[in-house]
Amino acid sequence: MPRVLIADDEESMRTLVARAIAMDGHTIVTAEDGAEALEILTSDAGAFDLLLTDIQMPVMDGIALALTAARDFPDLTILLMTGFADQRERASGLNALVHDVVTKPFSVADIRTAVADALASRKRD
């Protein structure tokens, strides 16, 4: 059963995404920002299959989180989310580290498909 860490500063988005992904049987852990997500990753020695993080967050944004997570946990698959075009452009330079960027708003089906695709890519690597 894949473990997914979700980092998003918007509680309603965190809850929606967690519920959507849990429908597929994944174990979900959530964080309110990148710093909390990094603490969770570190305390669990990176024992997650997927990091799903918003880009724009206080304390530590998703780009800084993705860079640190990719450096410290190179086997971790990373999926970014954003509702801002300029943030998507910032993420375009991370193609080697990040599986994909999901654009908000998205449907439950969209995020479930994106997560399934990201997790399936782990098996192909």
Side-chain angles (χ1 to χ4, degrees):
M1 185 164 309
R3 291 186 77 211
V4 179
L5 176 57
I6 300 167
D8 197 308
D9 59 316
E10 293 180 44
E11 184 178 0
S12 59
M13 182 59 68
R14 250 191 343 268
T15 302
L16 171 77
V17 172
R19 287 181 180 161
I21 296 170
M23 293 168 64
D24 294 320
H26 306 317
T27 301
I28 309 298
V29 177
T30 61
E32 293 182 13
D33 58 52
E36 183 182 1
L38 188 57
E39 286 177 22
I40 293 167
L41 276 172
T42 302
S43 68
D44 283 13
F48 287 88
D49 299 290
L50 178 67
L51 169 61
L52 176 58
T53 180
D54 189 22
I55 293 177
Q56 189 164 326
M57 295 183 291
V59 186
M60 174 186 258
D61 72 13
I63 302 266
L65 174 59
L67 290 168
T68 305
R71 180 195 70 207
D72 296 348
F73 309 104
D75 293 333
L76 181 65
T77 300
I78 301 169
L79 191 58
L80 299 176
M81 304 179 283
T82 189
F84 302 95
D86 62 324
Q87 298 297 325
R88 190 172 179 86
E89 284 180 30
R90 280 184 60 212
S92 66
L94 302 176
N95 290 343
L97 304 176
V98 173
H99 176 75
D100 199 4
V101 180
V102 181
T103 303
K104 294 177 182 178
F106 46 72
S107 70
V108 167
D110 291 340
I111 195 64
R112 289 175 70 196
T113 298
V115 166
D117 183 55
L119 290 169
S121 76
R122 290 178 56 85
K123 296 178 176 117
R124 291 192 296 264
D125 292 343

